[in-house]
Amino acid sequence: MSDTIYTISTWVIPALLAITLHEAAHGFVALRFGDKTAWQLGRVTLNPFKHIDPVGTILLPGLLIFLRAPFLFGYAKPVPVNFRALNNPKRDMVWVAAAGPATNVAMALAAGLLAHVAILLPPAAAAWAIRNIENAILINVLLAVFNMVPLPPLDGGRVAVGLLPESLARPLARLERFGMPILLGLIFILPLIGNQLGVDLNVIGWLLSAPVAWLVELVIRVTGNG
């Protein structure tokens, strides 16, 4: 039990910041490009408690960590964005959507730089801080890469809708209502079916493992920890 509590303590801050500041970034950029929806609802803030979803930000990640699941999944309350209120909806949608993953990459880099300070702490505190930093790099990179999968309502889907010609953007945009059930099926249901059949059907793992490993390695090298 003590090991589990220690493990959870090294994930709480990285997960909370990664998930909630990702959403806050969408609100900041949306306001910059003319949409005041999130600002009027008090969501353009760095206060993580404004973005917490009790199930997606606390219960689900905590349960996965407690069960020692081979993956971590979570979400915050989505920041409301009225794309029609943006100065240039099709173009600005790309910037608003990309702001979340870009923020995660920036936080991963910041975490890597903090490692140089953490090692100056007393041994026990340094070990705990380094675990937090390692987890922060991993979860921020994972969220950045995962959210860039080109399927609405993920950020990558909205970036694709904003960049593609209308003939391709419209059919992709129509997938948004089905996007979350598709993702949940790929993340949870398909691997379970695969386990029963003795086949690896972890499609999300196939897609994300290589880019996540590459980006983690890049962050480590860029921040001088390689």
Side-chain angles (χ1 to χ4, degrees):
M1 180 61 72
S2 61
D3 287 344
T4 300
I5 293 173
Y6 183 84
T7 298
I8 291 175
S9 77
T10 63
W11 277 105
V12 168
I13 296 174
L16 186 65
L17 292 177
I19 294 171
T20 58
L21 296 189
H22 173 107
E23 292 298 333
H26 291 312
F28 277 107
V29 176
L31 180 63
R32 170 66 179 79
F33 286 108
D35 176 30
K36 297 182 179 180
T37 306
W39 178 77
Q40 291 169 341
L41 294 173
R43 299 293 302 280
V44 181
T45 175
L46 293 177
N47 179 0
F49 296 102
K50 292 287 188 177
H51 306 287
I52 287 175
D53 180 281
V55 175
T57 315
I58 300 173
L59 182 61
L60 181 57
L63 182 61
L64 292 173
I65 293 170
F66 182 78
L67 296 175
R68 299 185 183 276
F71 59 89
L72 188 65
F73 181 75
Y75 55 88
K77 289 189 294 186
V79 166
V81 177
N82 178 6
F83 292 106
R84 294 182 181 180
L86 297 171
N87 299 329
N88 185 324
K90 187 171 174 61
R91 181 200 66 194
D92 296 345
M93 176 195 303
V94 174
W95 293 106
V96 173
T103 297
N104 288 129
V105 172
M107 284 194 285
L109 291 168
L113 292 173
L114 282 174
H116 299 289
V117 178
I119 60 175
L120 302 177
L121 296 170
W128 182 82
I130 291 296
R131 284 286 296 277
N132 274 269
I133 287 167
E134 291 172 346
N135 292 340
I137 293 172
L138 178 59
I139 194 171
N140 276 290
V141 166
L142 184 58
L143 280 175
V145 174
F146 174 74
N147 274 282
M148 287 308 293
V149 171
L151 175 68
L154 294 179
D155 300 324
R158 289 177 173 156
V159 168
V161 169
L163 294 177
L164 289 170
E166 286 297 323
S167 59
L168 297 175
R170 286 184 181 276
L172 182 59
R174 292 193 193 104
L175 279 178
E176 180 151 355
R177 70 180 72 177
F178 309 109
M180 191 54 68
I182 291 172
L183 283 171
L184 292 176
L186 293 173
I187 293 171
F188 296 108
I189 298 174
L190 203 56
L192 287 176
I193 294 173
N195 287 339
Q196 296 299 316
L197 299 175
V199 179
D200 183 7
L201 295 179
N202 183 11
V203 176
I204 295 296
W206 302 344
L207 292 174
L208 301 188
S209 58
V212 166
W214 177 84
L215 189 50
V216 166
E217 181 65 21
L218 181 63
V219 167
I220 290 172
R221 290 185 178 277
V222 168
T223 56
N225 294 295

